[in-house]
Amino acid sequence: MTMGEIGDPVQLKDEGNKYFQAGEIDKAIESYTKAIKACKDKKALAVIYRNRSACFLKKENFNNAASDATKAIDVDAADIKALYRRCQALEKLGKLDMAFKDVQRCATIEPKNKTFLETLRRLGAEIQQKLKTTFSTDSRVQNMFDILFSDESDKEKREKAANNLIVLAREDAGAERIFQENGVPLLVQLIDTGNSEMILAAIRTLSGMCTGHRARATAIIHMVGISKLCSIMAVDNEEIALATANLFQCVNDSLAGGDKRNYGKEEALVLDSSRDLKDILLALLEMIVSKKVSGPGRDQALNLLTRNVPRKDKKDTDNSKCLFTIDHGLKKILKVCGQVPELPDQLPLTENTQLIASVLLNKLYDDLRCDPERDNFRDVCNEYIKGKFDPNDMDKNIHAINALSGILQGPFDVGNALAGHQGIMEMMVALCGSEREVDQLVAVEALIHASTKTSKASFFISNGVSLLKEMYKKTKNDKIKIRALVGLCKLGSAGGDDYSMRQFAEGSTEKLAKQCRKWLCNPTLDVRTRKWAIEGLAYLTNDADVKDDFVEDEAAMRAMFELAQSKDKTILYAVACTLVNCTNSYDKKDILPELVQLAKFSKQHVPEQHPKDKKDFIERRVKRLLKAGVTSAIAVMVKADNSILTDQTKEMLSRVFLALANDIKDRGTIVAQGGGKALIPLALEGTANGKVKASHALAKIAAVSNPEIAFPGERIYEVVRPLVSLLNTERDGMENFEALLGLTNLAGLNDKLRVKILKEKALPEIENYMFEEHDQIRQAATECMCNLVCCKDVQDRYLQDGNDKLKLLILLCSEDDEQLQRAAAGALAMLTAAQKKLAVKMTKVTGQWLEILQRLCLHDNPEIQHRGLVTVFNMLDADDELAKKLIESELLEILTYVAKLEDNPKKQDAINAARACLSRAMDQGLVKPFSK
């Protein structure tokens, strides 16, 4: 058996070389691959990767060739062979600019090499040519339209031209060129082809042209026409409806002040946008009640109203847009809420339309500023509902009751007041007793929505419970039965998780929940009915026995997650409630034993905790949820439109994520199922509390995971702000600590991230925590600083006069905590290596510097000792006077002692550093060479 066969890397490399020279490339790759596995030496490994890169070039496997060459370059940035091989691979992959950079480095290292100079010249010419053809916009715009209108162009060519047009429109110069080249009428022609791909391309191009440019947006609106755009958004195609809504949003933003250009007085008068904005608003209000508009189109019209009518900032006193919308559109929104899809001649809706309309009602009501405005809102609603009542027309009656349901899901107080009006309860009783299924469905759903906030639902508790119980017992129809059950669950869950306030008899809650799980898992039932089963569980899981039974039923959990990922997004709130209950991630009040005694003495109610709400039960439930795929489900839920995914729902999902990420062992599972990416939007938008919870969950993941895997691509830069927000002194110690760990991980990756951390103003906070009394927080902050000192801006702060930053860092090196010493000594070594002035400044900021340095150089921990010795080397290298001072001190004895130690793998870095220090001192003539 040869050495090559038992895995000697040198032998295997030589074997690979022979095969390569003989032209047996596959065998060469095999030998080099074995050598890579066996090789432990970095430099030797780089050579093997470089050789295998040459093999992959021969095999025309350019991705692998580039990858192997990169691994060699990582070890030696000036490896000329690896650089040129990567250049060749990148050129073949079409990445000319990256290939050009590599050959440029080659030519810098070997300026007389003809091959490099020729490649440099050729690639430069190719890049110039590519730029010319890409940006000769005059002919380019025309060419794109020619391709798009040509019958002979193949599909791929047309798609490419459409994409190029969209990209061009996003650049201001490109957008202006399209506009000047008669592009808008041509885009309208594209829309008129009726081809959905062409319509999308045209709409997206128009969006680009309107973004941030009021004059162009105004012109486009007038050239295309608001009614034309509304008719496009009305098409029964989700993608087109969404793209057109995005165009409307771009137009709205530009007209309402999204354009920061300076227009002259005359031009500003011409560009007065208030008329256009008013026309768009009226057109959207007409859309929401037009039968010609599809469900997705109606949803987008409602979304646009929700986004743009209420004030963005409540400090702004002008709510005229809201008042205008109420005057011209409140009854139209109520008409949408009142639609009953089971009846003939209704407006086309999606599963989400009516909930979006309820959210809009809520936003409008919230935007009102005084009681007369609120009274007017209530009066319009009351007038609409009463105007629909007709003893001879049941369809009109259920429309009125459904509209009331819509108000109850929006501004609840308005709905609650209306529900108490004379005739409403009687109407519900009549509908409950009707023979028609649809009447019963509408009545029961209204009863459920009316009992949302139990404290205010006293009117319904007295009347509704008996109605619901009767319907639950009598009906044979599962659709009615399940809704009646949910109503009972809601009315019966007033006690929350207080064990002593259970509304139902012992065991009946579990029975109801079991029935809900059974319906939930029944695929023969329609989605709307199964959705109600989750609504029931959202209330029943206040009970700890129900939570425990639910997480043991994997089929029920998976069915719920499947529904959460369906098109019906009205389900999200109920799913979020159920998950919050199962993970006990709601706010809990601390119960003080003294207050319990006092309450018992005064015969007051004392909340009791269920045995299954204790920590070990909660942890077991979390594990079961993770196993069933809860993270993947939440990752899909988070992508829902903001009008459905309300801030309250986001906060609940953030709470759940934080509970899931509590155990360090589970964080890998969360990352693998897309949890890292899903948390970012929750941490950036929502309620203040929700953002903190999501940021904390992000910090837990960033602290222990590889951030590049947890937050791939550009998303990693979005993680910085949420983590920095946790450094606020109002946040608790655990949040501060885990945020610092996460930022340490990020700061260790690259300079761009370090700069981002500084831009978010994190540095003063991190510096404060370096002197925190809590040892772990202080250590985490110092480790974070150790990673940040690579950044020039941080070095400049240490160079500034008039602060104690450097002094405090030196003093941290003398602390007893080894981890803290290690981080502080690391920061000191890196600072003095980067800035020679800091090496000199060290001696001036504290009289203890030499003693602390000596202690570092004699430290038992080889890592700390190495960092201390590197600092000494930097000081020797920085200034001759300082070097003389160091060598005349006891440090010479320490350096000599360490340098004379026998080679030892554990201490080798420190020994080598001490030898380098003495070598430097010899070069400066401060010490004589050792005699044998």
Side-chain angles (χ1 to χ4, degrees):
M1 187 182 281
T2 67
M3 280 293 284
E5 287 170 324
I6 59 167
D8 175 57
V10 179
Q11 186 96 5
L12 285 162
K13 186 192 84 169
D14 292 342
E15 194 175 273
N17 293 350
K18 282 174 191 168
Y19 283 133
F20 184 78
Q21 282 154 8
E24 295 183 64
I25 306 301
D26 287 332
K27 284 185 179 176
I29 290 173
E30 195 176 324
S31 295
Y32 290 142
T33 305
K34 284 179 187 171
I36 286 165
K37 285 177 185 169
C39 187
K40 297 286 180 281
D41 180 80
K42 263 190 177 181
K43 286 186 178 176
L45 196 58
V47 174
I48 303 166
Y49 272 124
R50 186 177 73 196
N51 292 359
R52 194 173 71 169
S53 174
C55 296
F56 284 132
L57 274 175
K58 290 268 186 194
K59 297 287 290 179
E60 296 187 6
N61 185 339
F62 300 117
N63 277 317
N64 283 358
S67 171
D68 272 6
T70 301
K71 284 170 187 162
I73 294 161
D74 286 348
V75 175
D76 179 6
D79 186 334
I80 205 154
K81 286 183 181 176
L83 280 166
Y84 191 65
R85 276 168 201 167
R86 187 169 71 175
C87 161
Q88 290 172 295
L90 290 169
E91 183 185 354
K92 294 292 183 187
L93 290 167
K95 297 175 181 178
L96 298 184
D97 50 343
M98 290 165 77
F100 184 84
K101 280 180 190 169
D102 279 352
V103 77
Q104 207 170 27
R105 278 164 74 186
C106 292
T108 310
I109 298 163
E110 281 188 27
K112 291 180 181 174
N113 186 311
K114 287 181 182 176
T115 308
F116 297 162
L117 294 171
E118 174 54 24
T119 310
L120 194 64
R121 188 200 58 72
R122 181 171 51 75
L123 284 176
E126 280 181 37
I127 289 168
Q128 286 305 315
Q129 189 53 43
K130 194 176 176 186
L131 287 171
K132 266 186 194 172
T133 54
T134 309
F135 292 105
S136 57
T137 43
D138 280 9
S139 59
R140 193 168 166 230
V141 172
Q142 199 50 55
N143 287 346
M144 282 187 255
F145 281 115
D146 288 345
I147 293 166
L148 289 169
F149 285 117
S150 165
D151 296 330
E152 291 160 27
S153 301
D154 60 35
K155 190 180 178 218
E156 202 175 317
K157 250 189 175 181
R158 276 216 290 269
E159 274 178 16
K160 197 173 178 185
N163 285 331
N164 286 343
L165 206 55
I166 296 164
V167 171
L168 192 63
R170 286 179 188 150
E171 297 294 328
D172 194 51
E176 193 55 37
R177 175 58 56 204
I178 297 170
F179 189 75
Q180 299 296 344
E181 294 284 313
N182 199 34
V184 178
L186 290 170
L187 289 167
V188 172
Q189 278 183 47
L190 269 187
I191 291 167
D192 291 339
T193 61
N195 176 315
S196 58
E197 294 299 322
M198 295 300 107
I199 295 171
L200 276 171
I203 293 294
R204 286 170 181 161
T205 304
L206 288 168
S207 296
M209 292 167 72
C210 290
T211 303
H213 199 297
R214 187 150 45 124
R216 259 201 314 263
T218 306
I220 286 169
I221 275 292
H222 288 268
M223 289 165 86
V224 180
I226 294 169
S227 58
K228 172 99 177 170
L229 288 176
C230 289
S231 68
I232 301 164
M233 194 160 83
V235 174
D236 193 7
N237 179 314
E238 262 183 70
E239 220 178 344
I240 290 174
L242 183 61
T244 316
N246 186 45
L247 170 55
F248 267 124
Q249 191 61 52
C250 293
V251 168
N252 183 83
D253 292 346
S254 294
L255 298 187
D259 182 359
K260 300 289 179 272
R261 281 173 187 73
N262 259 331
Y263 292 102
K265 267 190 180 179
E266 285 179 34
E267 205 171 349
L269 284 171
V270 175
L271 289 175
D272 180 20
S273 308
S274 54
R275 179 73 243 171
D276 289 329
L277 287 167
K278 198 172 175 184
D279 288 346
I280 291 171
L281 183 54
L282 287 168
L284 292 173
L285 289 170
E286 283 308 314
M287 268 190 87
I288 63 174
V289 286
S290 166
K291 284 189 180 171
K292 292 176 183 173
V293 176
S294 68
R298 201 174 319 280
D299 286 1
Q300 293 306 335
L302 288 162
N303 280 334
L304 282 165
L305 292 166
T306 305
R307 225 173 283 145
N308 298 304
V309 170
R311 290 166 291 164
K312 300 276 185 289
D313 182 0
K314 288 287 189 279
K315 289 176 189 167
D316 177 8
T317 55
D318 180 15
N319 67 342
S320 55
K321 253 195 294 187
C322 175
L323 299 175
F324 181 84
T325 305
I326 290 168
D327 287 347
H328 294 82
L330 181 52
K331 288 185 178 178
K332 293 182 168 85
I333 302 164
L334 291 170
K335 183 176 178 178
V336 174
C337 290
Q339 297 299 297
V340 182
E342 291 82 356
L343 294 181
D345 205 30
Q346 301 293 293
L347 298 173
L349 308 174
T350 70
E351 304 90 337
N352 306 316
T353 309
Q354 287 173 299
L355 184 60
I356 297 171
S358 293
V359 170
L360 174 56
L361 287 175
N362 198 37
K363 295 257 184 187
L364 293 174
Y365 189 68
D366 272 354
D367 203 44
L368 299 175
R369 295 182 59 235
C370 57
D371 287 343
E373 289 176 2
R374 293 184 194 98
D375 291 342
N376 175 56
F377 187 99
R378 278 193 285 268
D379 291 345
V380 174
C381 292
N382 188 30
E383 191 187 313
Y384 182 84
I385 287 170
K386 286 204 166 162
K388 291 291 172 190
F389 280 157
D390 184 342
N392 303 316
D393 188 342
M394 218 46 158
D395 286 2
K396 276 189 174 178
N397 292 334
I398 61 172
H399 179 93
I401 297 297
N402 222 26
L404 175 62
S405 275
I407 300 168
L408 285 161
Q409 289 175 85
F412 180 82
D413 294 344
V414 177
N416 205 30
L418 292 173
H421 285 189
Q422 196 183 355
I424 300 272
M425 195 66 201
E426 290 80 352
M427 178 57 67
M428 290 202 193
V429 174
L431 290 172
C432 286
S434 165
E435 295 296 310
R436 282 201 314 178
E437 178 189 282
V438 68
D439 297 340
Q440 293 179 45
L441 285 176
V442 168
V444 177
E445 287 187 18
L447 280 169
I448 293 167
H449 295 309
S451 56
T452 298
K453 295 186 183 172
T454 317
S455 56
K456 295 183 181 176
S458 52
F459 173 77
F460 277 99
I461 289 173
S462 51
N463 298 280
V465 173
S466 51
L467 259 178
L468 291 167
K469 275 185 178 172
E470 201 171 321
M471 291 184 78
Y472 183 70
K473 284 174 189 168
K474 285 184 178 176
T475 185
K476 298 278 188 292
N477 184 331
D478 271 351
K479 288 183 182 180
I480 309 292
K481 209 175 186 69
I482 199 166
R483 285 163 171 81
L485 170 68
V486 173
L488 289 168
C489 294
K490 275 183 140 177
L491 293 169
S493 66
D497 69 344
D498 182 354
Y499 183 46
S500 60
M501 281 190 67
R502 295 169 67 139
Q503 300 287 315
F504 298 124
E506 191 76 43
S508 60
T509 312
E510 289 97 301
K511 279 181 191 169
L512 292 175
K514 191 176 179 184
Q515 184 59 59
C516 280
R517 298 203 312 269
K518 194 173 156 190
W519 279 319
L520 175 59
C521 296
N522 183 351
T524 59
L525 289 172
D526 62 291
V527 171
R528 270 184 77 187
T529 304
R530 289 168 72 202
K531 179 188 87 176
W532 283 105
I534 298 176
E535 291 271 358
L537 287 167
Y539 291 92
L540 292 168
T541 46
N542 275 308
D543 184 294
D545 287 315
V546 173
K547 302 177 201 187
D548 242 42
D549 291 347
F550 178 64
V551 297
E552 292 300 321
D553 187 343
E554 196 162 323
M557 283 194 290
R558 288 190 186 280
M560 181 172 86
F561 299 153
E562 204 178 301
L563 284 176
Q565 295 173 64
S566 69
K567 276 190 174 182
D568 186 347
K569 298 300 176 191
T570 57
I571 211 164
L572 299 184
Y573 184 77
V575 173
C577 280
T578 308
L579 292 174
V580 163
N581 289 340
C582 288
T583 54
N584 284 49
S585 49
Y586 37 72
D587 283 329
K588 302 165 197 74
K589 287 178 187 167
D590 292 329
I591 300 166
L592 300 172
E594 308 88 76
L595 291 179
V596 171
Q597 292 304 317
L598 194 63
K600 282 180 179 171
F601 180 73
S602 58
K603 294 183 179 170
Q604 295 293 314
H605 170 68
V606 181
E608 287 177 31
Q609 188 186 39
H610 193 291
K612 287 184 180 175
D613 273 331
K614 294 201 163 84
K615 193 180 173 189
D616 51 340
F617 279 94
I618 298 168
E619 284 171 0
R620 205 170 68 216
R621 288 200 287 271
V622 165
K623 304 277 184 216
R624 300 280 308 181
L625 285 164
L626 282 165
K627 190 183 168 205
V630 65
T631 312
S632 303
I634 299 177
V636 174
M637 290 164 73
V638 167
K639 290 174 186 168
D641 194 279
N642 266 354
S643 55
I644 295 280
L645 189 72
T646 59
D647 285 351
Q648 198 182 352
T649 309
K650 283 183 195 167
E651 181 181 324
M652 288 197 286
L653 294 177
S654 301
R655 287 173 178 278
V656 174
F657 259 133
L658 186 54
L660 296 175
N662 198 39
D663 186 343
I664 196 168
K665 294 195 283 287
D666 295 328
R667 293 175 200 169
T669 308
I670 293 168
V671 167
Q673 294 180 358
K677 290 177 283 186
L679 269 166
I680 296 170
L682 294 176
L684 294 172
E685 285 178 17
T687 64
N689 206 355
K691 288 193 283 190
V692 169
K693 303 281 182 196
S695 298
H696 193 187
L698 269 178
K700 283 180 179 289
I701 288 168
V704 298
S705 312
N706 177 346
E708 289 173 306
I709 293 170
F711 319 107
E714 292 299 304
R715 284 194 185 92
I716 197 165
Y717 298 99
E718 294 177 52
V719 179
V720 174
R721 183 173 296 169
L723 296 194
V724 173
S725 72
L726 294 179
L727 299 182
N728 190 310
T729 46
E730 289 176 15
R731 306 268 55 87
D732 68 38
M734 185 54 86
E735 288 166 346
N736 300 155
F737 174 64
E738 289 183 315
L740 286 165
L741 291 182
L743 287 167
T744 303
N745 249 350
L746 293 174
L749 286 176
N750 61 51
D751 215 44
K752 194 175 169 188
L753 273 165
R754 289 189 277 274
V755 170
K756 174 76 174 161
I757 292 169
L758 298 191
K759 274 187 180 169
E760 294 296 340
K761 299 184 172 62
L763 205 58
E765 304 277 14
I766 295 165
E767 285 169 346
N768 288 341
Y769 286 119
M770 284 170 73
F771 310 104
E772 167 76 32
E773 284 180 19
H774 193 289
D775 288 346
Q776 283 179 296
I777 291 179
R778 191 164 46 151
Q779 178 200 318
T782 309
E783 284 180 352
C784 190
M785 185 58 75
C786 181
N787 282 352
L788 284 171
V789 292
C790 308
C791 192
K792 188 164 184 318
D793 289 352
V794 180
Q795 294 162 16
D796 290 344
R797 279 174 78 98
Y798 277 90
L799 279 166
Q800 283 166 7
D801 291 328
N803 67 57
D804 286 336
K805 295 182 198 306
L806 190 60
K807 177 183 176 179
L808 293 167
L809 193 60
I810 296 165
L811 294 175
L812 285 176
C813 293
S814 65
E815 291 283 335
D816 294 334
D817 183 334
E818 280 199 9
Q819 290 288 82
L820 181 59
Q821 266 187 302
R822 181 177 164 276
L828 204 55
M830 289 160 83
L831 280 170
T832 50
Q835 299 285 349
K836 290 187 177 183
K837 286 181 186 174
L838 284 172
V840 178
K841 190 179 176 182
M842 266 182 70
T843 63
K844 296 172 183 171
V845 292
T846 171
Q848 294 170 270
W849 68 271
L850 187 56
E851 183 194 333
I852 291 169
L853 207 52
Q854 288 169 351
R855 281 172 61 189
L856 288 179
C857 294
L858 283 170
H859 207 287
D860 293 338
N861 183 320
E863 274 192 274
I864 296 172
Q865 185 182 27
H866 174 236
R867 291 169 183 215
L869 288 161
V870 168
T871 306
V872 172
F873 178 85
N874 296 337
M875 294 172 84
L876 288 168
D877 198 41
D879 181 82
D880 290 345
E881 276 301 309
L882 177 55
K884 193 178 175 195
K885 194 173 181 180
L886 288 170
I887 294 302
E888 285 170 357
S889 74
E890 288 173 15
L891 256 176
L892 176 60
E893 202 178 321
I894 296 168
L895 293 173
T896 310
Y897 164 72
V898 179
K900 283 186 173 179
L901 289 172
E902 284 185 20
D903 284 0
N904 174 346
K906 286 185 181 173
K907 289 197 162 195
Q908 200 58 47
D909 285 343
I911 295 166
N912 290 346
R915 289 172 184 171
C917 288
L918 289 174
S919 177
R920 182 79 189 113
M922 283 178 214
D923 293 345
Q924 291 167 302
L926 297 171
V927 295
K928 290 173 183 173
F930 294 135
S931 62
K932 285 189 180 178

